[in-house]
Amino acid sequence: KEPSFTPAVCNRLDRNTGGIVIAGKNLQAVQAVNKAIAQKHIQKFYITMVRGEMTENREFYGYHVKDEKTNTVKVLKKGASAIYTNVRPLNVKNGFSLLEVELITGKSHQIRAHLKAMGYSVVGDRKYGDERVNKRVREKYGLNNQFLYACRVVFNEKDGYISYLNGKEFSAKLPDNL
């Protein structure tokens, strides 16, 4: 028993992004989950809606540079931290795409900035989105934040403290406003 340990969050979500957050209830669990995330033994999936029609699965690669002063990210073709994002379209209609995004690396604002750099801004995103589209969606549907939701995690950890989770999948239903 660890009387001085407080359960800790192992992954984070961008502000105004909802969904699943992984936490450990003891130090050994937190360390094991953090290691599994670093070794890519935990898959993280998001649902998002973007402006633009994406009709095929895509693998996006780029380089992530964060400007601490403005708390924004730029995606470049060379240099900095490599980022990888896999995207699968679920539905495409009227100039918009509902996507499932698998986050391979996990950098700040990665999904939002990476999709924007590829020409697909997340609906409702005040930082990287299209303000004209955001205003229309806000007025018509009452969506005040980005349409981005951490909907599913899959554990692929065969050894160690959290191996009992191997093959387990956890999912969260989209909230009504999405």
Side-chain angles (χ1 to χ4, degrees):
K1 196 162 186 164
E2 300 174 62
S4 65
F5 183 81
T6 301
V9 173
C10 300
N11 68 316
R12 57 165 181 70
L13 299 176
D14 289 348
R15 177 183 294 166
N16 299 320
T17 297
I20 298 173
V21 176
I22 305 168
K25 66 180 185 177
N26 61 49
L27 180 61
Q28 197 170 4
V30 170
Q31 290 172 333
V33 169
N34 285 340
K35 182 178 177 185
I37 289 171
Q39 294 177 336
K40 301 184 184 12
H41 294 171
I42 297 176
Q43 293 173 278
K44 296 178 278 185
F45 296 89
Y46 294 72
I47 296 289
T48 189
M49 184 171 293
V50 297
R51 179 184 51 83
E53 295 190 0
M54 185 185 303
T55 57
E56 296 179 1
N57 293 354
R58 305 275 303 271
E59 292 181 355
F60 292 142
Y61 302 95
Y63 294 89
H64 180 278
V65 178
K66 186 165 185 184
D67 182 336
E68 296 295 339
K69 282 185 178 182
T70 62
N71 192 31
T72 59
V73 168
K74 290 190 179 176
V75 177
L76 309 172
K77 295 192 187 295
K78 290 185 175 182
S81 298
I83 55 174
Y84 305 102
T85 311
N86 289 332
V87 182
R88 182 173 67 97
L90 301 174
N91 198 356
V92 178
K93 189 173 183 176
N94 299 330
F96 293 89
S97 301
L98 183 67
L99 308 173
E100 178 185 68
V101 178
E102 181 181 8
L103 195 58
I104 306 300
T105 53
K107 305 290 184 188
S108 294
H109 306 181
Q110 178 178 327
I111 294 171
R112 297 159 55 208
H114 210 176
L115 286 170
K116 169 74 172 184
M118 302 311 292
Y120 301 96
S121 58
V122 172
V123 170
D125 188 345
R126 292 181 220 147
K127 193 167 284 212
Y128 302 101
D130 179 323
E131 186 47 46
R132 201 170 30 101
V133 170
N134 293 350
K135 182 179 180 193
R136 199 171 32 161
V137 170
R138 188 170 43 253
E139 289 170 357
K140 188 169 182 177
Y141 301 105
L143 183 65
N144 292 313
N145 296 311
Q146 65 255 17
F147 191 127
L148 183 60
Y149 195 77
C151 64
R152 187 164 57 103
V153 293
V154 179
F155 285 78
N156 299 305
E157 183 61 74
K158 294 182 177 150
D159 300 313
Y161 191 74
I162 61 169
S163 62
Y164 69 96
L165 292 171
N166 185 48
K168 299 264 192 279
E169 181 174 310
F170 299 90
S171 60
K173 182 179 167 246
L174 285 176
D176 291 341
N177 70 328
L178 299 182

